[in-house]
């Protein structure tokens, strides 16, 4: 990986879009450094086009699933993404099919799980899009 030092969120509160594809396959850890799982994909906020959530593959190799975790306040290091939510909360988040996409109807549940406000676009469009 090309990171020399940890990167943090931008001044606007979210990650810059640069190098996001390089994060795939990195470990996702909680604030205490406990491994949660492996970063699979990034979801962008459709209103701002900024990275907002990441899908994390959790579980055993023969029995795993993907959950979403917010990226606000996260740090990126050489081989990890450290999120602000603890492992138990992330592991209990609503899951999606491994490699699948979050259905629009499930978006409110993901936001509610992390006590985040959910607002659809003015025309009723979905809030998150896989990047």
């Amino acid at each position: 990986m090309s990171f020399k030092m940890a990167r943090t969120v931008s001044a606007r509160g979210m990650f810059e879009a640069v190098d996001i594809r390089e994060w795939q396959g990195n470990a996702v850890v909680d604030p205490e450094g406990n491994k949660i799982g492996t970063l699979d994909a990034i979801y962008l906020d459709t209103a701002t086009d900024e990275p907002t959530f990441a899908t994390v593959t959790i579980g055993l190799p023969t029995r795993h699933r993907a959950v979403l975790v917010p990226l606000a306040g996260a740090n990126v290091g050489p081989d990890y993404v450290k999120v602000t939510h603890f492992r138990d909360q992330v592991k209990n988040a609503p899951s999606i099919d491994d490699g699948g996409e979050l259905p629009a109807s499930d978006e409110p549940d993901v936001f509610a799980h992390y006590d985040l406000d959910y607002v659809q676009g003015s025309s009723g469009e979905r809030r998150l899009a896989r990047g």
Side-chain angles (χ1 to χ4, degrees), residues 60-122:
L60 302 172
T62 58
R63 197 172 140 209
H64 54 273
R65 60 192 176 96
V67 295
L68 278 89
V69 63
L71 290 173
N75 291 307
V76 179
D79 297 316
Y80 66 88
V81 176
K82 184 183 282 187
V83 296
T84 61
H85 297 277
F86 288 94
R87 180 172 51 188
D88 287 343
Q89 184 179 20
V90 176
K91 287 188 172 196
N92 290 320
S95 64
I96 58 176
D97 292 334
D98 188 33
E101 272 195 57
L102 177 70
S105 60
D106 291 351
E107 287 183 359
D109 294 335
V110 172
F111 278 75
H113 180 76
Y114 294 105
D115 294 322
L116 300 171
D117 293 330
Y118 178 76
V119 179
Q120 284 184 315
S122 59

Side-chain angles (χ1 to χ4, degrees), residues 23-29 35-39 56 79-82:
W23 300 353
Q24 189 172 15
N26 282 0
V28 176
V29 299
K35 185 174 179 183
I36 298 169
T38 305
L39 192 137
V56 180
D79 297 316
Y80 66 88
V81 176
K82 184 183 282 187

